[in-house]
Structure formats: structure tokens, C-alpha cells
Amino acid sequence: MTVRRSFAAACLLSALLVPAGVQAWTGKDIDKWSTSCTSGLTCSLRYEDFYEQFGAFEFRRSGALSSDVTLWLPKPPGVSRNLDPGGIFHLAVDGKEVLRLTLQQLKFDVEWGKFVLTDRASVQILLEALKTGAALQLSYEGVTGKFSTDMNLAGFRGSLFFIDDVQGRRGRNDALLAVGQNVPEGPDSKDIESIDDIPASIRDDFIAPGGSCTESFMSDDLKRYNGFDISMSGIRLVLVPCSEGGAHNQGYALYRGYYNGTLSRISFPDIAEGKPSVSEVEYNVDFDPATRIMTAFLKDNGMGICGLWHKWELTLEGHLVLLEKRSWEECDGSRDGPESFPLEWPVGGQP
């Protein structure tokens, strides 16, 4: 039995398990600040100290060209919007108050359990102060009491620069830190978080009777699958979960369109028994718009790092070109990651 077939069989056997989905394709920690970005280029910047009263403090920005930064404030212990209408957040930088926010100025996101500030001007005022400050003081006062925490701003500027790079905003006038004069042109992207996010022209593939992915479509919570809809240089790529997931793997279908034209499903180039081949579904797919590199890692169920790994490049014309295919069946802990697996293609690589 081939590696691909044995892994696919393992996926089917584990279909009743909760699919793990793929992780964000990139992220970086600088001091106390942690950044992560999805394949749809939604990036978050968090300060997390679980020993403090407040938990996570966070900024988020989607990959859409027109997107603004939002501020996500932690819910203080015992606080709800309805029970504490007079509650107030104070945000000070180096001891000087920058923002004073009542709960009525904020939205409450039930899913995340956080208060959200969407007002562009207020968020920008805070960001500008944080760029030049040394410490942020976040405090809350209300009927449930007073709470406060201090956050070291070391690493904050570097984290903003990292997000600019990931989202392709460096040198543009909408950058967070690396601001320039360039007008935003792309990439323009969003995450596939619900059925409504799947373009209407291909939605039947996932929900209509007889659709190519309908039978195994995991429609309950698409946020955890890291699908995306990205447009760049006149090419549109849409990646949507398709086929059964498992404890370690989730399959995806890929669609391509040109200059706002029709989306068509495309195959993933492959090599099988030394001959050109294609795959309709690949597992745990990641894509980096900056390098135009796409990877897929079909993981074995063993304890060590093992499985089947592909690496493609997206050409300027929108075609996927297979650069590498690697595999390792011995789940013995001897490999650091899939890029250290022996090459299956091109032939003649080092083990």
C-alpha cells in the first residue's frame, strides 16, 4: 500500500474524531507580545500573562484591503455588560491616560468572551501612543471592583512590523508601522469562517446534493479549518475544507480565478511512481502570499514527525508547480520537520 493510500485510510478510520484543522501558517513571539496570522492573512497581536487579572489583551486586523484594526479587551472577573453598565476601562501609556472607554462604547463578542473596540480613530490614538511608550497600564473599575495590569511594550513595535510584512503592507499608506506612500493594491484576503464566506459560484460543491465535497463537508465551524479567499496580482485562490478530517489531518479543495472571473477547481500537481500525476484533495494546506509558496503535510498517526509533504510555487500566471515531494514513514522521532524528510522528487536529493 502506498504512503498516500495508507494515510488516507487512517483519515477515514479517524473521521469520527474532532478534526484538528491546520494551524496559522505563521507567527512570531517577541518578548511578551505574540503574533499569529492565518492563511487568510487575519493577524492578531496579543499580550498574554495568565498570572495577571486580565488574561489576554489583543489587536486584530483582517487581510482585506479596507480593513481597520480592532482592539479586543479581556472581560474582567465577574463582569457582564448588562450587569455593569457603568463599567469603565482606562488605558494609560507611561502613566498618561490615552483612552477612557465605557462598556457602552464597546461591543461584546459572545464567542470570544471579550469586549471589542471598532472605532478607527480611538484605536489609532492608542496605537500611536503604544509605538513610542515603554509600558501600558490597563485598568477597569465597576460594580464588581477594580482591576489593573501593566504590560511591557518591549517587542510591540517589532510585532507591528512583522504583521505589516505578512499582510504585504510594508511601504503602503495603510501599514501599522512601516508606513510609506504606496497605495494598497493587494493581496486582498479573508478567512473562510462560514458557509456564507464560500463564494456563491462554488458553494453548491459543498452543500448541494451530489456536490463534490458535500458528503464530507464539515460545515459546523469553519473557523478552525483555516480556509481562505485571497486575490493577488489578478489571481484569486480559494481554499475550502473538503473530505473527512481526522485527529491529525484535514483535506482541502482549491479553486482559481482570474481578474474577478469564474472560479474553477484545480488539481495539485504530484509525482506518482516517477510519473506526473495530480491530486484533487491535499491535506493541511498552507499558503504564503509573500513567497507564493504552498505546502501540504499529510501526517501519520505516529508519535514522531512523519508523513507525506509537498511544496508548490504559484507562478505569476496562476499555475501550481511542484517543487518538492518528501516522505518519512518511520515515526521514530529522528526528523525535526517535514522539510528534513528524504526527497521523493526531484530524484537524487539527500536523505
Side-chain angles (χ1 to χ4, degrees), residues 102-256:
T102 68
L103 294 193
Q104 304 310 307
Q105 294 175 264
L106 306 170
K107 297 180 180 179
F108 185 72
D109 189 285
V110 176
E111 180 181 359
W112 292 92
K114 294 182 179 182
F115 291 97
V116 187
L117 176 65
T118 59
D119 180 68
R120 181 179 186 180
S122 298
V123 173
Q124 190 62 34
I125 288 171
L126 179 61
L127 282 173
E128 292 304 316
L130 295 176
K131 291 177 186 178
T132 58
L136 166 66
Q137 298 84 40
L138 173 65
S139 61
Y140 177 86
E141 55 181 319
V143 296
T144 60
K146 296 183 179 181
F147 309 94
S148 64
T149 189
D150 293 337
M151 305 178 199
N152 191 322
L153 291 174
F156 183 80
R157 286 174 56 86
S159 298
L160 293 180
F161 195 86
F162 178 78
I163 291 175
D164 281 341
D165 265 354
V166 171
Q167 295 188 331
R169 300 182 193 271
R170 186 198 289 197
R172 293 180 359 187
N173 59 17
D174 62 345
L176 295 172
L177 187 68
V179 182
Q181 300 300 316
N182 296 336
V183 176
E185 294 181 353
D188 190 10
S189 63
K190 69 176 183 178
D191 296 306
I192 301 292
E193 297 186 337
S194 69
I195 291 176
D196 290 341
D197 290 328
I198 301 174
S201 62
I202 63 172
R203 202 172 296 158
D204 280 353
D205 285 358
F206 302 90
I207 61 175
S212 58
C213 295
T214 298
E215 185 175 347
S216 58
F217 183 52
M218 315 294 283
S219 61
D220 55 336
D221 182 10
L222 295 184
K223 291 181 180 179
R224 54 182 168 160
Y225 295 113
N226 212 19
F228 60 76
D229 184 344
I230 295 178
S231 296
M232 49 187 291
S233 303
I235 299 168
R236 185 181 184 186
L237 290 182
V238 180
L239 184 80
V240 188
C242 173
S243 86
E244 299 286 2
H248 304 283
N249 298 295
Q250 175 60 50
Y252 292 85
L254 182 63
Y255 295 78
R256 179 187 61 205

